[in-house]
Each structure stands twice: as structure tokens, then as C-alpha cells.
Amino acid sequence: MAPPRTLECPAMKDFLRKVPLLKGLPDRELDAVAAFAVSRKYRKNSTIFLENDSGDRACIVRSGLVKIQQVSPDGKAKTLDILDEGQCFGEMALICDNVRSASAIALRDTEVLFIPKEDFLKLVRGSAEIAFNIMRILSARLLAADRQIEDLVFKNLPGRIVSRLFELARKYGKEVEDGTEIDLEITHQEFAEMVGTNRESVSKLIGQFKKEGSLRAENRRFVLVDPEKLAAWG
């Protein structure tokens, strides 16, 4: 883990302007954010913070990928979300003055921007735009959580896997010659943690999707070749 470094305002303003959390802030406030934010780099699989750690800063993905994960008392891991460039995390512990509700882990070599708690709370108190942006972000998270709960309650395992494939394709999909590629490297174990099962079950079903020609999977990447066939599993 590299030591933190203060950011140069001119170099970061364009990036900060694209961050959904900071949408609508005037240039002078973006300059202030760039002045008090610090950057830290993490190697792949490094822990950014752990569940139940104290919340002392808000976080923004500058580059790379971050996995948000909870672990049950019996050691089973559940991946709640995967965040890419520009997405924020860890802010709720600051707003609620509480501990972290989940762990954050770098899925790739990752750079994270940190906004100290007091500076972040000043932003929230002083900016209607920030408060509204937080409401939008939390609403999106709530809808995503509702969909995951519905999947767990009403869908069998093949349906949950297909639902998550479609969700990842919406978020990270890019068109390739034979379908829609999820532009994200995911191991079968990581995918199993997303849908609440074990690696062996995921591997077996992925193999069936590949055999029927609805999915291509190689080099830790998935390509949705025939979405209609996949949807039939749901």
C-alpha cells in the first residue's frame, strides 16, 4: 500500500467534475475538494477498510475496481457491489456517525481518493447539490438491494446467476463480435459471492450456459452470446 499523497487541484478538477457525488458543485468548491482530498494506491486484493472499522473518511474510486463485501459469522462472504471509476463508498458511516457496515477490497490495482470526515460533512451541510446527490446514490443502492432480495427469495440459483450477469452487462457491458462482453475480470469464486452460493455450483451452471451456446467464458470474462436463451433460465 502506497503512502497517501495530496492532490494537485488543476490535475484533478476534471475528474472530480465527473464524480456523481460531486455533480453540480461550482469550480471553487471543486478546488477545495481537490485541496483537502488525499490519494492512496492499493495493490490487487488489498483491504481498504474492514467491516466494523470506524468511519473517518469518504472514499471515491480514482481508478481500478473496489469490491464491497460482508462476511457472515460462519465465514461466508457476500459481495454487495463492485465499484469502478468515479463511484463513492464509505460515506454512510460518516453521515450516520457509525462504524463501517461492510469491507472494501481492491479487486485490481486501485487508486482511492479520501475525503476526511470533517471536510466531507462540511460539504454536505453547505451544499444542497451534495445532499441531493447522496439521496440519488442511496436510492439507487436501495433499489439494487431490493432486486437482490427479490432474487434470493423468488429465483432459483440459475435465475440468480442470469440476473447478476444481466446486471453486470448493463453496468460494464461492451459490444463485441459475438455478443455483449462484461468488461470485468471475475473468478467463479467472486461470482459465487455475488449470488450467494459456492464456486462449484457456479462453475457447473456456467458450463451448461457455455454448452448451450448462450454464454462464452474465458480469461475470467463473460460474453453474453444469446441473452434470450439465458433469460429462459430465469
Side-chain angles (χ1 to χ4, degrees):
M1 183 173 65
R5 59 184 179 87
T6 304
L7 305 173
E8 296 180 7
C9 297
M12 291 303 300
K13 190 185 294 185
D14 285 344
F15 168 74
L16 294 174
R17 193 176 282 116
K18 299 174 185 176
V19 172
L21 176 66
L22 306 177
K23 183 178 179 181
L25 281 187
D27 280 0
R28 67 179 183 280
E29 294 190 37
L30 289 175
D31 286 335
V33 174
F36 56 63
V38 294
S39 170
R40 190 185 293 271
K41 293 183 178 181
Y42 293 84
R43 294 287 189 185
K44 181 179 179 179
N45 296 325
S46 297
T47 298
I48 299 168
F49 58 70
L50 290 171
E51 187 174 353
N52 295 319
D53 281 354
S54 61
D56 59 353
R57 51 196 174 176
C59 314
I60 301 170
V61 182
R62 176 67 181 93
S63 63
L65 289 171
V66 173
K67 173 171 66 176
I68 306 300
Q69 182 185 73
Q70 288 180 327
V71 178
S72 67
D74 61 356
K76 294 181 180 178
K78 177 68 170 73
T79 296
L80 305 178
D81 206 354
I82 294 177
L83 308 176
D84 61 357
E85 181 178 324
Q87 294 185 280
C88 64
F89 61 101
E91 75 286 348
M92 286 310 301
L94 280 60
I95 295 172
C96 299
D97 198 23
N98 208 339
V99 296
R100 303 293 191 189
S101 60
S103 299
I105 300 163
L107 270 182
R108 296 178 182 167
D109 288 350
T110 296
E111 182 177 359
V112 179
L113 309 185
F114 294 116
I115 301 177
K117 180 176 181 177
E118 290 306 316
D119 294 310
F120 177 77
L121 293 179
K122 285 179 184 177
L123 278 175
V124 176
R125 295 185 185 112
S127 171
E129 288 86 358
I130 292 287
F132 182 69
N133 291 342
I134 289 174
M135 290 173 61
R136 290 196 304 177
I137 290 167
L138 294 183
S139 295
R141 289 179 187 169
L142 181 59
L143 288 172
D146 285 345
R147 285 195 295 267
Q148 289 189 33
I149 292 170
E150 288 176 5
D151 285 352
L152 286 170
V153 173
F154 298 113
K155 292 185 177 181
N156 58 17
L157 180 57
R160 298 205 308 270
I161 290 176
V162 168
S163 179
R164 184 51 64 98
L165 284 170
F166 284 151
E167 179 185 339
L168 291 172
R170 286 192 296 271
K171 191 172 181 179
Y172 300 106
K174 67 176 184 180
E175 295 306 309
V176 294
E177 185 176 351
D178 58 343
T180 301
E181 179 181 2
I182 297 172
D183 190 17
L184 183 69
E185 292 185 0
I186 312 172
T187 66
H188 285 193
Q189 178 61 43
E190 289 165 346
F191 196 87
E193 292 172 4
M194 293 182 197
V195 296
T197 188
N198 56 65
R199 182 187 59 79
E200 292 77 10
S201 296
V202 164
S203 296
K204 181 179 179 181
L205 282 163
I206 293 297
Q208 290 180 251
F209 299 156
K210 291 171 64 177
K211 186 176 181 179
E212 73 171 12
S214 60
L215 185 76
R216 179 163 60 82
E218 56 187 27
N219 299 323
R220 299 185 177 181
R221 289 180 182 268
F222 297 120
V223 177
L224 280 61
V225 177
D226 192 333
E228 290 188 4
K229 277 187 179 180
L230 281 175
W233 288 84

